[in-house]
Amino acid sequence: MATTMVLLALVYAAFVVALLWAGMPWWLVLLVVGGVALVQYFASDRIAMAALGAREVTPQQDPELHAVVDRLCALADMPKPKVAVAHTDVPNAFATGHSRGSTMVCVTTGLRRRLDNVELEAVLAHELSHVAHRDVAVMTVAAFLGIVAGFLVQAGTRFALLTGGGRSREGGPAPAVIALLVVVISAIVWALSFLLTRALSRYRELSADRAAAYLTARPSALSSALVKISGDMARIPTQDLRQVEPFNAFFFTPALSGKGVSLSALLSTHPPTEQRLAQLAEISRQLGRGA
């Protein structure tokens, strides 16, 4: 995790330097990078909740769900986050929030229909691990560089096409040339950021699985939930999966768009289910030996 974050920081620094070298005004670099960073950090949780149709529920509205979260927070000795429910048949759960006061764990109605109480507790333990380890904030910070680069690729391409070639009135490079340089630099940075954030996301998912397995002392419950959810994803309409696919990095398991889709491990936000199950099986053996 530390190595990935260091590499992301180096890519970020090189990105800013390269934009200035390409001729992009420093105030515009500051405006774009700083503006996107602020929006991504402070508003990403509300954007995710609104997009998924999730709403916060009180202990009076959903006492059973709150009771599970209360018990897990007591076991983990951690502050209780807010609790939300999303009314969708996609079986999943996610955590969101950039700070302790804004953190929230959310489960879908589709998940609750498919899992028993023990399996639901295991999934919630996984999400609470993300909250306790500040994974959402880490992933938000890590992902913002790719968002900036992607935005500049689109904006720079449009600008270059509109302005055309030639040279500026002062004899320097034409605005279109500068825009094309920005596009090339941004595209390279986006690709690097994409790979690094995917690697970081996969590691954090394995870490959350480990924490949940040890917290509940029931690795088999998390394994069972993984198998159920992964299998049921194939029965969810493709349109529903595509609507939630942009939030894969937050989900307990990824929502794959379409049946028969096989994503390379290098590009996935989550480790292969087989790898997660193997890790949980090893933890189960350790717990059985009293390790």
Side-chain angles (χ1 to χ4, degrees), residues 35 42 47 50 90 97 101 122 136 161 165 174 194 209 215 270:
F42 289 104
I47 293 172
V90 178
V136 177
L161 292 174
F194 181 89
D209 282 350
L215 180 64
H270 290 62

Side-chain angles (χ1 to χ4, degrees), residues 25-152:
W26 67 267
W27 60 267
L28 186 56
V29 173
L30 182 63
L31 179 64
V32 172
V33 174
V36 173
L38 290 175
V39 172
Q40 173 75 359
Y41 188 75
F42 289 104
S44 60
D45 51 344
R46 291 189 290 272
I47 293 172
M49 294 290 289
L52 294 169
R55 62 179 181 85
E56 184 180 354
V57 293
T58 64
Q60 292 74 30
Q61 293 171 323
D62 201 328
E64 292 183 2
L65 186 58
H66 273 272
V68 176
V69 176
D70 285 335
R71 178 177 178 275
L72 290 171
C73 288
L75 284 173
D77 191 24
M78 62 176 286
K80 180 183 177 182
K82 299 174 184 177
V83 180
V85 173
H87 292 275
T88 173
D89 194 44
V90 178
N92 234 315
F94 65 93
T96 187
H98 61 274
S99 64
R100 181 169 294 180
S102 66
T103 53
M104 183 177 294
V105 291
C106 178
V107 297
T108 67
T109 52
L111 181 79
R112 298 182 74 179
R113 281 197 297 270
R114 290 168 171 84
L115 302 186
D116 60 31
N117 291 336
V118 175
E119 292 165 340
L120 178 62
E121 182 183 66
V123 172
L124 283 170
H126 173 103
E127 297 305 327
L128 287 173
S129 172
H130 284 310
V131 172
H133 298 148
R134 304 294 299 276
D135 286 342
V136 177
V138 169
M139 290 306 303
T140 299
V141 172
F144 110 88
L145 178 60
I147 293 174
V148 173
F151 167 78
L152 288 177

